[in-house]
Amino acid sequence: MDANGDCPHSINNAGPRVLVALDGSLASLAALRYAVDEARRREACLHAIRVLPGAGALPGLDDGDEFFSLLRKGAWISFREALGYVPTDVEVSVLVARGEPGPALVDLADREDDLLVLGRGDVGLLGRWRGTATSCYCVAHGRCPVLIVPLPAHLRSLYRSRVRRRDLDRLLHG
């Protein structure tokens, strides 16, 4: 990792890759846990991706801007929330992509031997439609296998009860 906590390797590195989409939801944390295990199993590089929605999202900012650094730091925090640590036995990188989530993810997961991992939660009609649209787009247009990880049953009720994220740790760990 470099001084910013980012992996210096680009997403275009050689070898097997597991790409996981992170949006800060419980579903994306479940997907991250699965993606880490899958990267270990495949001896692959793990690329955690935050997508900044919108075709021309913040066109005046370059990827080195502090805003993008904060988004990358948020992705690193997702590792701690999902696993309690950032794995050291898997090569990990964090990337912030711009654009609509489905097309952005498909563009990044562009090799036949890639694995794209997405989380699927139960967040109500609008969230379900948006998440389903991204998943459906990736499955329909992806050039690699796409794995949709469901939210574990014991966490689905937390989505429905609209428990805030800061309360999750208290609920899970007493």
Side-chain angles (χ1 to χ4, degrees), residues 1-9 72 76:
M1 286 185 232
D2 66 13
N4 294 323
D6 295 325
C7 181
H9 306 290
R72 284 188 294 274
W76 288 111

Side-chain angles (χ1 to χ4, degrees), residues 57-76:
L58 302 174
L61 297 179
D62 65 17
D63 292 344
D65 188 84
E66 182 179 346
F67 177 72
F68 289 95
S69 178
L70 289 173
L71 288 174
R72 284 188 294 274
K73 285 180 184 176
W76 288 111

Side-chain angles (χ1 to χ4, degrees), residues 42-109:
R42 293 172 179 238
E43 297 182 4
C45 295
L46 176 64
H47 299 283
I49 303 165
R50 293 284 312 250
V51 179
L52 183 61
L58 302 174
L61 297 179
D62 65 17
D63 292 344
D65 188 84
E66 182 179 346
F67 177 72
F68 289 95
S69 178
L70 289 173
L71 288 174
R72 284 188 294 274
K73 285 180 184 176
W76 288 111
I77 289 169
S78 292
F79 280 94
R80 290 182 194 92
E81 290 177 339
L83 302 165
Y85 61 94
V86 175
T88 57
D89 59 333
V90 173
E91 185 177 347
V92 176
S93 70
V94 169
L95 173 71
V96 176
R98 299 182 203 210
E100 293 305 315
L105 293 167
V106 165
D107 285 347
L108 290 169

